[in-house]
Amino acid sequence: MPDLNISVWRSGSQNFETFLVPQQDSQTVLDVVSHIQTHLDPTLSYRFACRVGMCGSCAMMVNGIPRWTCRTHVSKVANSGAIKIEPLRNLPVVKDLITDMDPFFDKWIEAKGVFEGTATRSDDMRPVDTTTHQRIEANAAIECINCAVCYAACDTVSGNDRYFGPAALNRVWSLVNDEKDGGQSARLDAISDVGGCHNCHSQGSCSLYCPNELDPAASIASLKRRTASSFWQKR
């Protein structure tokens, strides 16, 4: 098989550097990046951990699309044997393919995406009915692993640096439907503010590219309805 022509973003030169990488069967994009760092240029910086689609830390832009590189096979993305690899969009670059995740998580906190318990350690554990509509809605949004693929895919984030982004708002929707959570009033106020859910343009890129097949766009649409209802109830 002919070698792959791999263009990799390098933060030092602020440009792409091209490497020829041997093509192999069942090869992933992360395999390609690892080959470059191991055999061709040990100064290349990138982030990964589990290699099996559990942690999301290997997310990068592959031919302009945010993906988990450990689960992206070369055979599905190589364009005439060429692949372009960049750091995730909408996040500051630390070095090469590594992004600073702080802004992503800061917005998670700003959106009140943290559970606010109503019980103490001394209280008996209260059972949750998993068949209720609320619990079903919460469960549908709960499997986010914070990989920031949806954040990189979001054009609203690109144009509005105050926008909380799909992952933070998807997390808020799971908490809004959690009967054990006591922070609803402050949370609904937070996501009704400048960076909140009403900034979403409903383009759906977040849901299209989510590797876990979640639907942040639907969560955000539900939050728009919930905040509107909350607003009129207060008047």
Short mmCIF file of all heavy atoms in Angstrom, two decimals, residues 68-99:
data_model
loop_
_atom_site.label_atom_id
_atom_site.label_comp_id
_atom_site.label_asym_id
_atom_site.label_seq_id
_atom_site.Cartn_x
_atom_site.Cartn_y
_atom_site.Cartn_z
N TRP A 68 -13.10 11.63 17.49
CA TRP A 68 -12.19 10.87 18.34
C TRP A 68 -11.23 10.15 17.39
O TRP A 68 -11.63 9.29 16.61
CB TRP A 68 -12.93 9.82 19.14
CG TRP A 68 -13.83 10.34 20.21
CD1 TRP A 68 -13.89 11.61 20.70
CD2 TRP A 68 -14.80 9.58 20.93
NE1 TRP A 68 -14.84 11.69 21.68
CE2 TRP A 68 -15.41 10.46 21.85
CE3 TRP A 68 -15.21 8.24 20.90
CZ2 TRP A 68 -16.42 10.05 22.72
CZ3 TRP A 68 -16.21 7.84 21.76
CH2 TRP A 68 -16.81 8.72 22.67
N THR A 69 -9.96 10.45 17.48
CA THR A 69 -9.02 9.86 16.52
C THR A 69 -8.79 8.38 16.78
O THR A 69 -8.43 7.63 15.86
CB THR A 69 -7.68 10.61 16.55
OG1 THR A 69 -7.17 10.65 17.89
CG2 THR A 69 -7.84 12.03 16.04
N CYS A 70 -9.04 7.91 18.02
CA CYS A 70 -8.84 6.48 18.30
C CYS A 70 -9.91 5.61 17.67
O CYS A 70 -9.72 4.41 17.50
CB CYS A 70 -8.79 6.25 19.81
SG CYS A 70 -10.38 6.43 20.65
N ARG A 71 -11.05 6.22 17.33
CA ARG A 71 -12.16 5.46 16.75
C ARG A 71 -12.37 5.81 15.27
O ARG A 71 -13.34 5.35 14.66
CB ARG A 71 -13.45 5.74 17.54
CG ARG A 71 -13.42 5.29 18.98
CD ARG A 71 -13.54 3.79 19.12
NE ARG A 71 -14.86 3.33 18.74
CZ ARG A 71 -15.90 3.25 19.59
NH1 ARG A 71 -15.74 3.59 20.86
NH2 ARG A 71 -17.07 2.83 19.18
N THR A 72 -11.48 6.62 14.72
CA THR A 72 -11.61 7.04 13.33
C THR A 72 -10.61 6.27 12.48
O THR A 72 -9.39 6.45 12.59
CB THR A 72 -11.34 8.55 13.18
OG1 THR A 72 -12.28 9.28 13.99
CG2 THR A 72 -11.48 8.99 11.74
N HIS A 73 -11.11 5.40 11.63
CA HIS A 73 -10.23 4.59 10.79
C HIS A 73 -9.77 5.38 9.56
O HIS A 73 -10.56 6.08 8.92
CB HIS A 73 -10.94 3.30 10.36
CG HIS A 73 -11.00 2.28 11.45
ND1 HIS A 73 -10.10 1.25 11.56
CD2 HIS A 73 -11.85 2.15 12.50
CE1 HIS A 73 -10.38 0.52 12.61
NE2 HIS A 73 -11.44 1.04 13.22
N VAL A 74 -8.51 5.22 9.26
CA VAL A 74 -7.90 5.92 8.13
C VAL A 74 -8.66 5.64 6.84
O VAL A 74 -8.87 6.53 6.01
CB VAL A 74 -6.42 5.52 8.00
CG1 VAL A 74 -5.85 5.94 6.65
CG2 VAL A 74 -5.60 6.11 9.14
N SER A 75 -9.09 4.41 6.66
CA SER A 75 -9.76 4.02 5.42
C SER A 75 -11.04 4.80 5.18
O SER A 75 -11.50 4.92 4.04
CB SER A 75 -10.08 2.52 5.45
OG SER A 75 -10.93 2.20 6.55
N LYS A 76 -11.63 5.38 6.25
CA LYS A 76 -12.89 6.11 6.10
C LYS A 76 -12.70 7.61 5.90
O LYS A 76 -13.65 8.30 5.53
CB LYS A 76 -13.76 5.86 7.33
CG LYS A 76 -14.22 4.42 7.47
CD LYS A 76 -15.16 4.24 8.64
CE LYS A 76 -15.64 2.79 8.73
NZ LYS A 76 -16.58 2.59 9.87
N VAL A 77 -11.49 8.11 6.16
CA VAL A 77 -11.29 9.57 6.08
C VAL A 77 -10.19 9.99 5.13
O VAL A 77 -10.11 11.18 4.77
CB VAL A 77 -11.01 10.16 7.48
CG1 VAL A 77 -12.21 9.99 8.40
CG2 VAL A 77 -9.75 9.55 8.10
N ALA A 78 -9.35 9.07 4.72
CA ALA A 78 -8.25 9.44 3.82
C ALA A 78 -8.80 9.85 2.46
O ALA A 78 -9.57 9.12 1.84
CB ALA A 78 -7.26 8.30 3.67
N ASN A 79 -8.41 11.02 2.01
CA ASN A 79 -8.84 11.55 0.72
C ASN A 79 -7.68 11.39 -0.26
O ASN A 79 -6.73 12.15 -0.25
CB ASN A 79 -9.23 13.02 0.86
CG ASN A 79 -9.75 13.61 -0.44
OD1 ASN A 79 -10.05 12.88 -1.38
ND2 ASN A 79 -9.87 14.93 -0.48
N SER A 80 -7.77 10.34 -1.10
CA SER A 80 -6.67 10.00 -2.01
C SER A 80 -5.36 9.83 -1.25
O SER A 80 -4.29 10.27 -1.70
CB SER A 80 -6.52 11.08 -3.10
OG SER A 80 -7.71 11.19 -3.86
N GLY A 81 -5.45 9.21 -0.08
CA GLY A 81 -4.26 8.94 0.72
C GLY A 81 -3.78 10.11 1.55
O GLY A 81 -2.72 10.04 2.18
N ALA A 82 -4.57 11.20 1.62
CA ALA A 82 -4.16 12.39 2.36
C ALA A 82 -5.11 12.66 3.52
O ALA A 82 -6.33 12.48 3.39
CB ALA A 82 -4.10 13.61 1.44
N ILE A 83 -4.55 13.08 4.65
CA ILE A 83 -5.34 13.44 5.82
C ILE A 83 -4.76 14.70 6.43
O ILE A 83 -3.54 14.84 6.55
CB ILE A 83 -5.33 12.32 6.89
CG1 ILE A 83 -5.88 11.01 6.31
CG2 ILE A 83 -6.15 12.73 8.11
CD1 ILE A 83 -5.80 9.83 7.27
N LYS A 84 -5.64 15.63 6.82
CA LYS A 84 -5.23 16.85 7.51
C LYS A 84 -5.71 16.78 8.96
O LYS A 84 -6.89 16.57 9.23
CB LYS A 84 -5.81 18.09 6.82
CG LYS A 84 -5.42 19.41 7.46
CD LYS A 84 -6.04 20.60 6.74
CE LYS A 84 -5.36 20.84 5.40
NZ LYS A 84 -5.85 22.11 4.77
N ILE A 85 -4.76 16.97 9.89
CA ILE A 85 -5.07 16.84 11.32
C ILE A 85 -4.74 18.14 12.03
O ILE A 85 -3.63 18.67 11.91
CB ILE A 85 -4.28 15.68 11.95
CG1 ILE A 85 -4.51 14.38 11.16
CG2 ILE A 85 -4.68 15.48 13.41
CD1 ILE A 85 -3.63 13.23 11.59
N GLU A 86 -5.73 18.65 12.78
CA GLU A 86 -5.57 19.91 13.50
C GLU A 86 -6.08 19.77 14.93
O GLU A 86 -6.83 18.85 15.24
CB GLU A 86 -6.38 21.02 12.81
CG GLU A 86 -6.09 21.22 11.35
CD GLU A 86 -7.14 22.11 10.70
OE1 GLU A 86 -7.12 23.34 10.95
OE2 GLU A 86 -7.98 21.58 9.94
N PRO A 87 -5.73 20.72 15.81
CA PRO A 87 -6.32 20.73 17.16
C PRO A 87 -7.80 21.09 17.09
O PRO A 87 -8.25 21.69 16.11
CB PRO A 87 -5.52 21.79 17.89
CG PRO A 87 -5.01 22.70 16.81
CD PRO A 87 -4.76 21.81 15.63
N LEU A 88 -8.55 20.74 18.11
CA LEU A 88 -9.97 21.05 18.14
C LEU A 88 -10.23 22.54 17.94
O LEU A 88 -9.54 23.38 18.53
CB LEU A 88 -10.59 20.60 19.47
CG LEU A 88 -10.87 19.12 19.67
CD1 LEU A 88 -11.47 18.90 21.04
CD2 LEU A 88 -11.78 18.56 18.59
N ARG A 89 -11.23 22.84 17.17
CA ARG A 89 -11.64 24.22 16.91
C ARG A 89 -12.27 24.84 18.15
O ARG A 89 -12.77 24.14 19.02
CB ARG A 89 -12.64 24.20 15.75
CG ARG A 89 -12.94 25.54 15.11
CD ARG A 89 -13.77 25.35 13.86
NE ARG A 89 -15.12 24.90 14.17
CZ ARG A 89 -16.23 25.44 13.65
NH1 ARG A 89 -16.15 26.45 12.81
NH2 ARG A 89 -17.41 24.95 13.97
N ASN A 90 -12.26 26.15 18.23
CA ASN A 90 -12.94 26.94 19.27
C ASN A 90 -12.28 26.87 20.64
O ASN A 90 -12.87 27.32 21.63
CB ASN A 90 -14.42 26.52 19.41
CG ASN A 90 -15.22 26.77 18.14
OD1 ASN A 90 -14.88 27.64 17.36
ND2 ASN A 90 -16.26 25.98 17.95
N LEU A 91 -11.07 26.30 20.72
CA LEU A 91 -10.34 26.24 21.98
C LEU A 91 -8.91 26.74 21.77
O LEU A 91 -8.34 26.55 20.68
CB LEU A 91 -10.30 24.80 22.51
CG LEU A 91 -11.61 24.24 23.06
CD1 LEU A 91 -11.51 22.72 23.19
CD2 LEU A 91 -11.96 24.88 24.39
N PRO A 92 -8.31 27.39 22.78
CA PRO A 92 -6.93 27.85 22.64
C PRO A 92 -5.98 26.66 22.46
O PRO A 92 -6.18 25.61 23.06
CB PRO A 92 -6.65 28.57 23.96
CG PRO A 92 -7.98 28.83 24.58
CD PRO A 92 -8.89 27.74 24.09
N VAL A 93 -4.98 26.84 21.63
CA VAL A 93 -4.00 25.79 21.39
C VAL A 93 -2.85 25.93 22.37
O VAL A 93 -2.25 27.01 22.49
CB VAL A 93 -3.47 25.83 19.94
CG1 VAL A 93 -2.39 24.77 19.73
CG2 VAL A 93 -4.61 25.62 18.96
N VAL A 94 -2.54 24.85 23.08
CA VAL A 94 -1.39 24.83 23.98
C VAL A 94 -0.13 24.57 23.17
O VAL A 94 0.84 25.34 23.23
CB VAL A 94 -1.56 23.74 25.06
CG1 VAL A 94 -0.32 23.66 25.95
CG2 VAL A 94 -2.80 24.01 25.91
N LYS A 95 -0.15 23.49 22.40
CA LYS A 95 0.95 23.17 21.49
C LYS A 95 0.48 22.12 20.50
O LYS A 95 -0.15 21.14 20.88
CB LYS A 95 2.18 22.65 22.25
CG LYS A 95 3.38 22.40 21.34
CD LYS A 95 4.55 21.76 22.08
CE LYS A 95 5.67 21.46 21.09
NZ LYS A 95 6.76 20.66 21.70
N ASP A 96 0.77 22.35 19.24
CA ASP A 96 0.46 21.41 18.17
C ASP A 96 -1.00 20.96 18.21
O ASP A 96 -1.88 21.75 17.90
CB ASP A 96 1.41 20.21 18.23
CG ASP A 96 2.87 20.60 18.02
OD1 ASP A 96 3.12 21.64 17.41
OD2 ASP A 96 3.76 19.85 18.49
N LEU A 97 -1.26 19.71 18.61
CA LEU A 97 -2.62 19.17 18.57
C LEU A 97 -3.30 19.19 19.93
O LEU A 97 -4.39 18.64 20.09
CB LEU A 97 -2.57 17.73 18.04
CG LEU A 97 -1.97 17.57 16.63
CD1 LEU A 97 -1.83 16.11 16.27
CD2 LEU A 97 -2.80 18.31 15.59
N ILE A 98 -2.68 19.84 20.91
CA ILE A 98 -3.23 19.90 22.27
C ILE A 98 -3.94 21.24 22.48
O ILE A 98 -3.35 22.30 22.25
CB ILE A 98 -2.13 19.73 23.33
CG1 ILE A 98 -1.46 18.37 23.19
CG2 ILE A 98 -2.70 19.89 24.74
CD1 ILE A 98 -0.30 18.16 24.13
N THR A 99 -5.17 21.19 22.95
CA THR A 99 -5.92 22.40 23.25
C THR A 99 -6.08 22.58 24.76
O THR A 99 -6.03 21.62 25.52
CB THR A 99 -7.31 22.37 22.60
OG1 THR A 99 -8.00 21.18 23.00
CG2 THR A 99 -7.20 22.42 21.08
#
